[in-house]
């Protein structure tokens, strides 16, 4: 009995009303007899609250009912009770009333608004991106205190004419030479084309009276000796490079002239290097 | 009003090239305006505390000291 009820599944209510139920051939079920009270077990239709329950109420599959004289009856569902959703909260003012006028007229203004919103986003996005990139790039450059330490100020009055004085600048020797008039004349009259590293004297010296060069030999990095050598400028004792009074290589293995750092004369008698 | 909007749409927003151009140009102007505005707000909140607000006092004092020396 128990086996019959459980196996017959949803057919059970129908079968219960009969005196004797015979199973079909596919299932080997022992026929059972039920003689109790017949209980109506048809489920009431679900309340149509959602689209799903509404669909549940619709007839699916072939409709069995037929009536009329030689014609089949139809079952029609007129959903007059279903409200059409109101989207007017979401519509633009221009197209609130769809029957009043054509939406083509207001198309450009509606699209303008949309593009304006997008354009505003692009503008602020560009500004933000630029600010972030600027921040990161500027963090890579040296800060103001480091830059201030990397400069030296030299009082030129202390250097007598014809003398070269050595200072320490960024860990390297710095030669400042107060040139005499003869030296200036000699250096300016040199044929630039004949030099190994052709550079005119006027390019290397802002003020012809003062020569400012980094005291590192361009050959292998020795420190040249001031006021020495065949050309009256600098002489590197390591491999015998001769520089003239403009710091240009004239003789020996060095390939380039002595390096000229960036410098300014902020006021008379003061030299600022760096 | 509607004519101006549709003219803006026809001339700027409709083509991607002009739209991007307008956005970049607008970003330049926006940057200037936004920076000025925020700087102004910052200066206003910190009125009297920043160096540029008190510089004239100390600048004057240091000049006087130099004159005394």
């Amino acid at each position: 009995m128990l086996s019959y009820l459980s196996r017959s599944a949803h057919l059970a209510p129908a079968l219960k009303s009969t005196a004797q139920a015979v199973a079909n051939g596919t299932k080997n079920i022992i026929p059972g007899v039920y003689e109790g009270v017949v209980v109506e077990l048809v489920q009431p239709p679900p309340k149509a609250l959602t689209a799903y329950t509404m669909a549940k109420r619709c007839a699916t599959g072939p409709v069995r009912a037929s009536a009329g004289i030689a014609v089949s009856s139809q079952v029609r569902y007129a959903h007059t009770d279903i409200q059409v959703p109101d989207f007017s909260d979401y519509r633009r003012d221009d197209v609130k009333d769809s029957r009043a006028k054509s939406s083509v007229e207001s198309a450009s203004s509606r699209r303008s608004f949309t593009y304006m919103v997008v354009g505003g986003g692009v503008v602020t996005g560009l500004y933000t991106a630029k600010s972030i990139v600027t921040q990161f790039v500027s963090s890579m450059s040296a800060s103001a205190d480091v830059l201030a330490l990397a400069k030296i100020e030299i009082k030129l009055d202390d250097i007598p004419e014809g003398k070269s004085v050595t200072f320490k600048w960024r860990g390297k020797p710095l030669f400042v030479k107060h040139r005499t008039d003869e030296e200036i004349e000699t250096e300016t009259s040199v044929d630039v084309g004949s030099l190994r590293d052709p550079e005119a004297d006027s390019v290397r010296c802002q003020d012809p009276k003062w020569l400012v060069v980094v005291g590192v030999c361009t050959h292998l990095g020795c420190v040249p000796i001031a006021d020495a050598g065949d050309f009256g400028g600098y002489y590197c004792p390591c491999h015998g490079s001769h520089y003239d009074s403009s710091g240009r290589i004239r003789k020996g293995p060095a390939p380039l002239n002595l390096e000229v750092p960036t410098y300014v004369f902020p006021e008379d008698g003061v030299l600022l290097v760096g | 009003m509607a004519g101006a909007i549709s003219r803006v749409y026809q001339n700027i927003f409709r083509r991607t090239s002009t739209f991007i151009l307008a956005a970049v140009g607008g970003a330049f102007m926006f940057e200037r305006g936004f920076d000025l505005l925020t700087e102004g707000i910052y200066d206003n909140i910190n009125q009297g505390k920043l160096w540029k607000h008190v510089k004239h006092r100390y600048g004057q004092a240091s000049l006087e000291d130099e004159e005394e020396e």
Side-chain angles (χ1 to χ4, degrees):
Chain A
M1 183 64 203
L2 200 68
S3 164
Y4 154 69
L5 276 176
S6 64
R7 284 201 188 190
S8 60
H10 62 278
L11 282 173
L15 294 174
K16 273 173 194 164
S17 61
T18 61
Q20 190 173 14
V22 181
N24 61 12
T26 55
K27 290 177 185 172
N28 187 19
I29 296 170
I30 304 158
V33 178
Y34 182 76
E35 290 175 340
V37 184
V38 177
V39 183
E40 192 65 43
L41 286 172
V42 177
Q43 281 190 335
K47 280 184 181 175
L49 294 173
T50 62
Y52 177 73
T53 49
M54 217 134 70
K56 280 283 175 193
R57 292 185 80 165
C58 291
T60 54
V63 178
R64 298 274 170 77
S66 60
I69 307 162
V71 289
S72 61
S73 295
Q74 289 180 325
V75 180
R76 291 195 178 188
Y77 296 95
H79 298 287
T80 50
D81 57 332
I82 298 171
Q83 282 194 332
V84 175
D86 180 18
F87 290 110
S88 54
D89 282 349
Y90 305 96
R91 298 176 93 109
R92 299 251 169 87
D93 287 340
D94 294 324
V95 287
K96 272 253 163 76
D97 188 356
S98 59
R99 284 159 299 182
K101 56 181 176 180
S102 168
S103 63
V104 176
E105 292 166 28
S106 61
S108 61
S109 75
R110 280 181 289 128
R111 287 177 192 170
S112 283
F113 179 75
T114 307
Y115 279 115
M116 211 118 81
V117 172
V118 176
V122 171
V123 164
T124 46
L126 279 174
Y127 173 75
T128 312
K130 189 245 172 191
S131 305
I132 292 169
V133 169
T134 312
Q135 192 124 27
F136 277 110
V137 169
S138 63
S139 76
M140 284 188 247
S141 66
S143 54
D145 58 336
V146 173
L147 279 181
L149 283 174
K151 289 181 179 184
I152 58 164
E153 201 176 280
I154 296 162
K155 283 194 174 163
L156 296 174
D157 300 337
D158 301 341
I159 306 169
E161 199 168 318
K163 276 282 176 190
S164 180
V165 181
T166 309
F167 298 93
K168 194 184 171 191
W169 176 69
R170 296 188 187 176
K172 286 178 282 190
L174 181 81
F175 296 146
V176 178
K177 189 179 172 80
H178 193 173
R179 300 196 295 188
T180 60
D181 290 339
E182 299 99 75
E183 282 172 332
I184 295 168
E185 198 161 326
T186 314
E187 297 310 329
T188 48
S189 59
V190 167
D191 179 18
V192 176
S194 68
L195 296 170
R196 183 179 298 164
D197 185 7
E199 259 186 311
D201 187 53
S202 56
V203 177
R204 295 177 58 79
C205 300
Q206 288 177 27
D207 184 350
K209 286 169 80 78
W210 299 99
L211 171 72
V212 183
V213 285
V214 176
V216 175
C217 182
T218 53
H219 179 223
L220 288 173
C222 294
V223 178
I225 298 161
D227 299 321
D230 294 353
F231 297 90
Y234 301 94
Y235 170 69
C236 182
C238 295
H239 302 93
S241 293
H242 298 258
Y243 299 92
D244 62 15
S245 294
S246 189
R248 295 178 291 198
I249 180 65
R250 299 297 284 273
K251 194 175 157 190
L256 296 168
N257 300 334
L258 289 177
E259 189 193 339
V260 179
T262 54
Y263 62 92
V264 285
F265 297 99
E267 53 193 278
D268 261 9
V270 175
L271 170 69
L272 190 68
V273 184
Chain B
M1 184 62 191
I5 289 172
S6 71
R7 216 173 308 130
V8 165
Y9 172 72
Q10 288 292 338
N11 292 321
I12 295 174
F13 293 142
R14 206 182 161 91
R15 226 169 302 165
T16 303
S17 56
T18 51
F19 178 69
I20 297 291
L21 202 68
V24 171
F28 271 98
M29 285 189 281
F30 173 76
E31 181 188 17
R32 182 79 186 128
F34 188 77
D35 286 354
L36 277 177
L37 181 76
T38 47
E39 287 278 318
I41 292 169
Y42 181 81
D43 287 357
N44 205 32
I45 291 168
N46 296 295
Q47 188 67 43
K49 297 178 197 165
L50 297 174
W51 173 242
K52 61 182 170 189
H53 297 144
V54 298
K55 192 182 177 183
H56 59 97
R57 275 189 258 159
Y58 299 97
Q60 211 65 26
S62 61
L63 276 178
E64 281 163 14
D65 288 350
E66 278 172 16
E67 280 162 15
E68 281 162 21
E69 284 168 15

Tab-separated table of all heavy atoms in Angstrom, chain A residues 239-264:
chain	number	residue	atom	x	y	z
A	239	HIS	N	98.261	60.672	-17.983
A	239	HIS	CA	98.646	60.235	-19.320
A	239	HIS	C	99.067	61.393	-20.195
A	239	HIS	O	99.149	61.252	-21.413
A	239	HIS	CB	97.508	59.462	-19.976
A	239	HIS	CG	97.081	58.268	-19.179
A	239	HIS	ND1	96.055	58.329	-18.274
A	239	HIS	CD2	97.589	57.024	-19.106
A	239	HIS	CE1	95.922	57.150	-17.688
A	239	HIS	NE2	96.851	56.341	-18.167
A	240	GLY	N	99.301	62.561	-19.590
A	240	GLY	CA	99.877	63.669	-20.320
A	240	GLY	C	98.960	64.377	-21.279
A	240	GLY	O	99.291	64.566	-22.441
A	241	SER	N	97.775	64.741	-20.807
A	241	SER	CA	96.877	65.541	-21.635
A	241	SER	C	97.105	67.008	-21.318
A	241	SER	O	97.145	67.399	-20.148
A	241	SER	CB	95.416	65.169	-21.359
A	241	SER	OG	95.163	63.859	-21.785
A	242	HIS	N	97.232	67.823	-22.390
A	242	HIS	CA	97.452	69.251	-22.204
A	242	HIS	C	96.179	70.002	-22.565
A	242	HIS	O	95.630	69.792	-23.647
A	242	HIS	CB	98.606	69.740	-23.095
A	242	HIS	CG	99.915	69.098	-22.769
A	242	HIS	ND1	100.899	69.732	-22.046
A	242	HIS	CD2	100.406	67.859	-23.057
A	242	HIS	CE1	101.943	68.918	-21.916
A	242	HIS	NE2	101.657	67.768	-22.516
A	243	TYR	N	95.729	70.851	-21.645
A	243	TYR	CA	94.558	71.688	-21.914
A	243	TYR	C	95.012	73.130	-21.938
A	243	TYR	O	95.931	73.512	-21.218
A	243	TYR	CB	93.486	71.505	-20.830
A	243	TYR	CG	92.937	70.102	-20.712
A	243	TYR	CD1	93.502	69.188	-19.839
A	243	TYR	CD2	91.847	69.707	-21.481
A	243	TYR	CE1	93.005	67.912	-19.732
A	243	TYR	CE2	91.341	68.425	-21.364
A	243	TYR	CZ	91.924	67.534	-20.490
A	243	TYR	OH	91.421	66.272	-20.383
A	244	ASP	N	94.326	73.956	-22.750
A	244	ASP	CA	94.726	75.362	-22.805
A	244	ASP	C	93.940	76.175	-21.776
A	244	ASP	O	93.197	75.627	-20.961
A	244	ASP	CB	94.554	75.912	-24.230
A	244	ASP	CG	93.116	75.873	-24.708
A	244	ASP	OD1	92.217	75.695	-23.853
A	244	ASP	OD2	92.885	75.991	-25.926
A	245	SER	N	94.073	77.472	-21.810
A	245	SER	CA	93.444	78.344	-20.805
A	245	SER	C	91.942	78.444	-20.986
A	245	SER	O	91.278	79.140	-20.228
A	245	SER	CB	94.043	79.752	-20.876
A	245	SER	OG	95.387	79.690	-20.487
A	246	SER	N	91.415	77.771	-21.985
A	246	SER	CA	89.971	77.706	-22.144
A	246	SER	C	89.468	76.302	-21.790
A	246	SER	O	88.311	75.978	-21.990
A	246	SER	CB	89.594	78.047	-23.587
A	246	SER	OG	88.193	78.192	-23.693
A	247	GLY	N	90.379	75.447	-21.270
A	247	GLY	CA	90.011	74.082	-20.887
A	247	GLY	C	89.830	73.155	-22.070
A	247	GLY	O	89.221	72.094	-21.943
A	248	ARG	N	90.379	73.534	-23.229
A	248	ARG	CA	90.198	72.694	-24.413
A	248	ARG	C	91.380	71.756	-24.566
A	248	ARG	O	92.534	72.127	-24.296
A	248	ARG	CB	90.070	73.565	-25.668
A	248	ARG	CG	88.834	74.422	-25.646
A	248	ARG	CD	88.733	75.296	-26.837
A	248	ARG	NE	89.748	76.344	-26.836
A	248	ARG	CZ	89.668	77.443	-27.570
A	248	ARG	NH1	88.652	77.637	-28.362
A	248	ARG	NH2	90.627	78.354	-27.529
A	249	ILE	N	91.131	70.555	-25.021
A	249	ILE	CA	92.194	69.568	-25.191
A	249	ILE	C	93.035	69.965	-26.405
A	249	ILE	O	92.510	70.232	-27.479
A	249	ILE	CB	91.609	68.136	-25.313
A	249	ILE	CG1	92.707	67.096	-25.494
A	249	ILE	CG2	90.565	68.048	-26.429
A	249	ILE	CD1	93.623	66.945	-24.320
A	250	ARG	N	94.358	70.012	-26.181
A	250	ARG	CA	95.254	70.430	-27.272
A	250	ARG	C	96.268	69.345	-27.601
A	250	ARG	O	96.746	69.258	-28.730
A	250	ARG	CB	96.012	71.702	-26.862
A	250	ARG	CG	95.086	72.880	-26.566
A	250	ARG	CD	94.299	73.304	-27.774
A	250	ARG	NE	95.113	74.051	-28.713
A	250	ARG	CZ	95.305	75.360	-28.651
A	250	ARG	NH1	94.720	76.067	-27.717
A	250	ARG	NH2	96.079	75.971	-29.529
A	251	LYS	N	96.603	68.518	-26.617
A	251	LYS	CA	97.670	67.539	-26.843
A	251	LYS	C	97.463	66.401	-25.847
A	251	LYS	O	97.023	66.632	-24.719
A	251	LYS	CB	99.034	68.208	-26.600
A	251	LYS	CG	100.234	67.436	-27.106
A	251	LYS	CD	101.457	68.308	-26.899
A	251	LYS	CE	102.721	67.480	-26.842
A	251	LYS	NZ	103.853	68.300	-26.398
A	252	GLY	N	97.720	65.151	-26.258
A	252	GLY	CA	97.565	64.032	-25.344
A	252	GLY	C	96.339	63.198	-25.684
A	252	GLY	O	95.657	63.449	-26.685
A	253	PRO	N	96.052	62.184	-24.864
A	253	PRO	CA	95.027	61.193	-25.237
A	253	PRO	C	93.570	61.610	-24.989
A	253	PRO	O	92.662	60.962	-25.489
A	253	PRO	CB	95.379	60.000	-24.359
A	253	PRO	CG	96.035	60.593	-23.167
A	253	PRO	CD	96.746	61.821	-23.619
A	254	ALA	N	93.324	62.666	-24.214
A	254	ALA	CA	91.920	62.996	-23.871
A	254	ALA	C	91.127	63.354	-25.121
A	254	ALA	O	91.621	64.071	-25.976
A	254	ALA	CB	91.888	64.150	-22.873
A	255	PRO	N	89.903	62.851	-25.248
A	255	PRO	CA	89.119	63.092	-26.466
A	255	PRO	C	88.329	64.396	-26.455
A	255	PRO	O	87.989	64.909	-27.510
A	255	PRO	CB	88.163	61.900	-26.513
A	255	PRO	CG	87.964	61.532	-25.085
A	255	PRO	CD	89.208	61.906	-24.344
A	256	LEU	N	87.984	64.900	-25.270
A	256	LEU	CA	87.050	66.038	-25.205
A	256	LEU	C	87.625	67.152	-24.350
A	256	LEU	O	88.541	66.932	-23.538
A	256	LEU	CB	85.699	65.596	-24.605
A	256	LEU	CG	84.898	64.578	-25.399
A	256	LEU	CD1	83.759	64.043	-24.548
A	256	LEU	CD2	84.358	65.191	-26.677
A	257	ASN	N	87.045	68.334	-24.508
A	257	ASN	CA	87.423	69.475	-23.674
A	257	ASN	C	86.912	69.254	-22.252
A	257	ASN	O	85.993	68.465	-22.024
A	257	ASN	CB	86.809	70.756	-24.236
A	257	ASN	CG	87.271	71.024	-25.653
A	257	ASN	OD1	88.358	70.583	-26.055
A	257	ASN	ND2	86.453	71.720	-26.406
A	258	LEU	N	87.502	70.007	-21.309
A	258	LEU	CA	87.008	69.935	-19.927
A	258	LEU	C	85.558	70.439	-19.893
A	258	LEU	O	85.193	71.376	-20.599
A	258	LEU	CB	87.885	70.792	-19.015
A	258	LEU	CG	89.299	70.263	-18.750
A	258	LEU	CD1	90.062	71.258	-17.880
A	258	LEU	CD2	89.275	68.909	-18.076
A	259	GLU	N	84.759	69.795	-19.033
A	259	GLU	CA	83.330	70.095	-19.015
A	259	GLU	C	83.072	71.449	-18.358
A	259	GLU	O	83.655	71.770	-17.320
A	259	GLU	CB	82.608	68.993	-18.236
A	259	GLU	CG	81.103	69.083	-18.334
A	259	GLU	CD	80.418	68.191	-17.311
A	259	GLU	OE1	81.056	67.246	-16.825
A	259	GLU	OE2	79.250	68.466	-17.001
A	260	VAL	N	82.187	72.212	-18.984
A	260	VAL	CA	81.790	73.504	-18.409
A	260	VAL	C	80.450	73.309	-17.709
A	260	VAL	O	79.470	72.917	-18.346
A	260	VAL	CB	81.657	74.575	-19.512
A	260	VAL	CG1	81.210	75.897	-18.911
A	260	VAL	CG2	82.965	74.740	-20.248
A	261	PRO	N	80.391	73.559	-16.385
A	261	PRO	CA	79.090	73.421	-15.714
A	261	PRO	C	78.206	74.635	-15.995
A	261	PRO	O	78.673	75.636	-16.529
A	261	PRO	CB	79.478	73.353	-14.239
A	261	PRO	CG	80.726	74.156	-14.151
A	261	PRO	CD	81.450	73.981	-15.458
A	262	THR	N	76.918	74.509	-15.618
A	262	THR	CA	76.042	75.671	-15.754
A	262	THR	C	76.341	76.626	-14.601
A	262	THR	O	76.416	76.212	-13.441
A	262	THR	CB	74.565	75.253	-15.699
A	262	THR	OG1	74.346	74.500	-14.519
A	262	THR	CG2	74.174	74.442	-16.909
A	263	TYR	N	76.536	77.896	-14.912
A	263	TYR	CA	76.832	78.884	-13.869
A	263	TYR	C	76.284	80.222	-14.297
A	263	TYR	O	76.010	80.452	-15.483
A	263	TYR	CB	78.331	78.965	-13.594
A	263	TYR	CG	79.174	79.407	-14.768
A	263	TYR	CD1	79.488	80.744	-14.961
A	263	TYR	CD2	79.650	78.481	-15.682
A	263	TYR	CE1	80.264	81.150	-16.027
A	263	TYR	CE2	80.423	78.877	-16.762
A	263	TYR	CZ	80.732	80.203	-16.935
A	263	TYR	OH	81.488	80.587	-17.996
A	264	VAL	N	76.090	81.063	-13.286
A	264	VAL	CA	75.606	82.421	-13.556
A	264	VAL	C	76.395	83.393	-12.685
A	264	VAL	O	76.987	83.001	-11.677
A	264	VAL	CB	74.093	82.580	-13.254
A	264	VAL	CG1	73.262	81.935	-14.331
A	264	VAL	CG2	73.741	82.037	-11.883
